[in-house]
């Protein structure tokens, strides 16, 4: 560190004494300390004044299938994406229970992300490891996260299968260790590739990449299982009638029940920061999974317009994939997300929430979880809460479904996936224009970390 006056900037014993005296003057500090000794912070600061509106009753909602469970993994975006697709299939087939294989999509996503990252490292091979873009890629590596367009890229290329055709393994639902191994491989590749480059052995870099990708493939198959190339689809419909479809492939199953419909969904964000004017479309540099796949694209719109689009889609019996920040103002057990129900100010004299643009610019809040909106409630003509399909199992919330207040939506929802048919000509033209390229570390890309 440079240009610091140690005498003026160091924490002195006098300052510590002042802090201590001020702390002891406030009896509330003693009470709070006692309470926090054996209780969660969220339990202590919970404010029940808004419970009258925290009801799992919604004036407009889509009747959906039971909640799923991503276990100890960061595959929320895949679970939410497959929840959208399974509702389409369930309506066509009149199903009361159905789940698509999250493991299948996650396996091929991980393989494709590794190939994309290895390719990106090669494109930056002349940079030093501490150059910011390369360092960002090496530090973040390959994880479980992703974006809607990344989901779309995988299912269009590899198809989908019912969960019964490719179930979970321990590793697929507990991904920390396999991710560590993969990223060790990738960083080792970067080291070896740069040595080859400095030795002017450029032709050997491609060979090295294929070798490392083969090692990663073996690890993924050993961890997640051998994905099916053909399967039979057996199910009962709501009338308990048995059905059997034989000799399906993942791609034929996808094409039969989803097909071109997947291209009707686009990503819309609310980022009210100075660098992202509304009615412009954005992409993020070095963020994708399938090298030949579609770009990740986000159309930036005002929040009021986003809420209109969400309600239109739900009114037409279509659920809405969305990305948000679930770090704040929530109770995992009850499933309530409401910034007005958690009083940080009285307890800590500090409000975690400031203006949305500032929170994004200073990374006080970023997208870290994807779910589905399945309903909303209007009271006196004003929307006051939303129904959320989460992927944390059925033991939390209301059988896995959560409740979100309108004010929490305004503050912490950053992305929704909407059918093109609801957009105006102006919005569609903006989406179809040349995207503005954002830095790899932009907060609109953090869901893919």
């Amino acid at each position: 560190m440079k240009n610091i006056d140690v005498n003026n900037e160091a924490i002195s014993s006098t300052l510590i004494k002042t802090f201590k005296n001020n702390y002891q003057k406030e009896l509330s500090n003693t009470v709070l300390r006692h309470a926090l000794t054996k209780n969660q912070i969220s339990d202590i600061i919970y404010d029940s004044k808004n419970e009258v509106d925290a009801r799992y009753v919604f004036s407009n909602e889509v009747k959906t299938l039971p909640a799923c469970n991503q276990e100890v993994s960061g595959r929320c975006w895949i679970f939410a994406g497959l929840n959208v697709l399974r509702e389409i299939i369930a309506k066509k087939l009149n199903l009361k229970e159905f789940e698509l294989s999250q493991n299948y999509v996650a396996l091929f996503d991980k393989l494709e992300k590794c190939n994309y990252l290895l390719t990106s490292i090669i494109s930056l091979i002349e940079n030093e490891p501490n150059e910011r873009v390369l360092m960002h890629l090496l530090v973040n590596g390959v994880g479980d996260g992703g974006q809607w367009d990344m989901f779309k890229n995988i299912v269009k290329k590899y198809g989908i299968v019912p969960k019964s055709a490719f179930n979970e393994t321990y590793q697929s639902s507990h991904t920390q260790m396999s991710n560590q191994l993969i990223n060790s491989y990738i960083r080792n590749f970067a080291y070896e590739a740069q040595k080859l480059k400095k030795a002017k052995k450029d032709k050997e870099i491609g060979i090295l990449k294929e070798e490392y990708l083969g090692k990663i493939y073996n690890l993924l198959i050993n961890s997640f299982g051998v994905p099916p190339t053909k399967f039979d689809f057996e199910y009962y419909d709501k009338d308990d009638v048995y059905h059997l479809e034989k000799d399906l492939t993942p791609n034929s199953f996808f094409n039969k029940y989803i097909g071109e419909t997947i291209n009707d969904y686009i990503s819309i964000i609310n980022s009210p920061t100075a660098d992202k004017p509304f009615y412009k479309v954005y992409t993020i540099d070095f963020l994708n999974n399938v090298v030949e796949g579609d770009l990740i694209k986000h159309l930036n719109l005002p929040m009021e317009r986003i809420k209109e689009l969400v309600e239109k889609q739900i009114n037409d019996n279509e659920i809405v994939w969305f990305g948000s920040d679930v770090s704040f103002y929530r109770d995992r057990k009850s499933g309530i997300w409401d910034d007005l129900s958690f009083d940080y100010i009285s307890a800590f004299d500090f409000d975690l929430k400031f203006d949305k643009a500032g929170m994004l610019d200073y990374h006080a809040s970023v997208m870290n979880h994807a779910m589905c909106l399945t309903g909303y409630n209007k009271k006196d003509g004003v929307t006051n809460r939303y129904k959320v399909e989460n992927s944390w199992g059925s033991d939390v919330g209301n059988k896995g479904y959560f409740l979100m207040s309108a004010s929490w939506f305004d503050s912490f929802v950053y992305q929704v996936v909407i059918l093109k048919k609801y957009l105006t000509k102006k919005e569609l033209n903006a989406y179809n224009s040349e995207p503005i390229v954002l830095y790899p570390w932009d907060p609109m890309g953090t869901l893919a970390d």
Side-chain angles (χ1 to χ4, degrees):
M1 298 175 69
K2 297 179 180 179
N3 302 321
I4 291 179
D5 186 338
V6 174
N7 293 325
N8 290 333
E9 301 297 340
I11 296 177
S12 66
S13 59
T14 302
L15 186 59
I16 291 290
K17 186 176 181 179
T18 300
F19 288 159
K20 183 176 181 180
N21 289 337
N22 290 340
Y23 176 87
Q24 291 176 337
K25 286 178 184 177
E26 297 292 335
L27 179 61
S28 59
N29 283 325
T30 302
V31 175
L32 183 59
R33 186 178 73 247
H34 291 167
L36 291 177
T37 300
K38 292 190 176 182
N39 296 279
Q40 293 187 77
I41 289 177
S42 59
D43 290 340
I44 297 303
I45 65 171
Y46 181 71
D47 186 346
S48 63
K49 69 177 182 296
N50 289 322
E51 284 186 350
V52 65
D53 280 330
R55 298 171 180 165
Y56 283 94
V57 178
F58 304 90
S59 58
N60 303 71
E61 68 174 304
V62 182
K63 299 300 180 184
T64 48
L65 297 169
C68 304
N69 194 343
Q70 68 187 75
E71 299 283 351
V72 189
S73 72
R75 301 172 294 163
C76 56
W77 61 289
I78 293 174
F79 275 72
L82 290 178
N83 284 343
V84 171
L85 300 192
R86 73 167 178 163
E87 292 296 336
I88 296 172
I89 297 170
K91 288 171 190 172
K92 289 180 178 180
L93 299 180
N94 193 34
L95 301 177
K96 60 181 177 181
E97 290 185 3
F98 179 57
E99 201 167 340
L100 289 163
S101 173
Q102 301 90 3
N103 187 17
Y104 180 83
V105 175
L107 187 158
F108 286 109
D109 167 69
K110 200 67 65 75
L111 181 65
E112 289 284 351
K113 277 194 291 203
C114 289
N115 182 58
Y116 187 90
L117 182 52
L118 293 174
T119 303
S120 298
I121 288 169
I122 291 173
S123 75
L124 298 168
I125 200 163
E126 294 186 356
N127 296 356
E128 292 298 319
N130 64 352
E131 183 272 330
R132 187 170 184 186
V133 175
L134 181 55
M135 181 172 65
H136 171 83
L137 298 182
L138 292 173
V139 169
N140 282 278
V142 168
D144 292 344
Q147 276 285 353
W148 171 261
D149 286 317
M150 295 166 70
F151 172 78
K152 186 173 68 172
N153 284 339
I154 293 297
V155 298
K156 286 172 66 174
K157 183 171 181 176
Y158 292 99
I160 54 177
V161 302
K163 190 167 186 177
S164 56
F166 194 55
N167 218 320
E168 294 285 307
T169 68
Y170 180 86
Q171 301 303 328
S172 71
S173 55
H174 299 75
T175 55
Q176 182 180 11
M177 193 61 200
S178 60
N179 285 343
Q180 287 178 352
L181 290 172
I182 286 170
N183 286 307
S184 292
Y185 288 171
I186 287 170
R187 290 162 190 147
N188 198 347
F189 166 80
Y191 169 71
E192 295 290 341
Q194 287 204 321
K195 283 205 305 184
L196 290 173
K197 181 67 178 178
K198 290 173 183 176
K200 301 187 185 304
K201 297 179 179 179
D202 292 32
K203 291 182 180 179
E204 295 182 26
I205 295 173
I207 298 171
L208 184 70
K209 175 195 167 188
E210 188 171 318
E211 177 187 330
Y212 271 83
L213 198 59
K215 292 179 181 180
I216 290 169
Y217 176 86
N218 291 344
L219 171 62
L220 290 172
I221 299 301
N222 288 334
S223 298
F224 300 159
V226 179
T229 55
K230 190 171 286 190
F231 61 91
D232 295 339
F233 181 34
E234 296 179 88
Y235 63 92
Y236 289 103
D237 63 23
K238 288 182 180 178
D239 301 317
D240 289 327
V241 176
Y242 172 81
H243 299 265
L244 170 63
E245 296 184 49
K246 300 183 71 174
D247 295 329
L248 292 166
T249 68
N251 289 104
S252 69
F253 185 69
F254 172 80
N255 291 332
K256 180 174 182 178
Y257 291 111
I258 304 297
E260 287 301 313
T261 300
I262 196 72
N263 294 319
D264 294 336
Y265 293 90
I266 65 171
S267 169
I268 296 172
I269 57 171
N270 177 247
S271 180
T273 51
D275 66 325
K276 299 185 190 71
F278 291 134
Y279 299 99
K280 300 288 185 181
V281 67
Y282 302 89
T283 189
I284 298 161
D285 207 11
F286 289 101
L287 182 63
N288 214 321
N289 51 358
V290 179
V291 168
E292 75 277 19
D294 295 334
L295 280 178
I296 292 175
K297 291 172 61 177
H298 301 310
L299 174 62
N300 196 19
L301 294 180
M303 181 54 83
E304 289 306 312
R305 178 58 177 152
I306 284 178
K307 290 189 285 189
E308 289 176 4
L309 292 168
V310 165
E311 292 186 9
K312 282 184 179 182
Q313 191 154 306
I314 290 173
N315 290 346
D316 281 350
N317 214 32
E318 291 268 2
I319 66 175
V320 179
W321 187 105
F322 77 101
S324 63
D325 180 2
V326 298
S327 305
F328 309 103
Y329 303 101
R330 85 285 193 275
D331 184 337
R332 184 185 180 108
K333 186 175 181 180
S334 69
I336 293 174
W337 277 310
D338 180 15
D339 51 311
L340 302 180
S341 291
F342 298 90
D343 184 4
Y344 288 95
I345 298 175
S346 294
F348 303 111
D349 191 27
F350 185 75
D351 192 355
L352 297 178
K353 183 178 64 171
F354 46 102
D355 75 89
K356 194 170 187 177
M359 292 189 77
L360 286 169
D361 280 338
Y362 290 88
H363 284 243
S365 177
V366 295
M367 278 196 285
N368 53 33
H369 192 48
M371 298 168 284
C372 291
L373 294 162
T374 67
Y376 66 94
N377 187 71
K378 276 197 179 295
K379 185 176 182 180
D380 299 326
V382 178
T383 301
N384 64 343
R385 59 179 176 264
Y386 297 86
K387 185 178 182 181
V388 175
E389 181 180 10
N390 205 350
S391 53
W392 291 349
S394 58
D395 295 333
V396 291
N398 185 1
K399 297 180 180 178
Y401 282 79
F402 283 39
L403 184 150
M404 177 196 302
S405 72
S407 59
W408 196 98
F409 187 108
D410 288 343
S411 295
F412 297 115
V413 169
Y414 295 107
Q415 179 184 12
V416 296
V417 172
I418 298 294
L419 287 160
K420 291 179 184 177
K421 65 182 181 180
Y422 300 115
L423 272 62
T424 65
K425 185 177 181 180
K426 174 185 175 181
E427 291 163 347
L428 284 172
N429 287 340
Y431 180 78
N432 291 323
S433 65
E434 188 68 21
I436 298 166
V437 181
L438 304 172
Y439 290 117
W441 43 85
D442 190 272
M444 288 301 105
T446 55
L447 189 56
D449 288 350

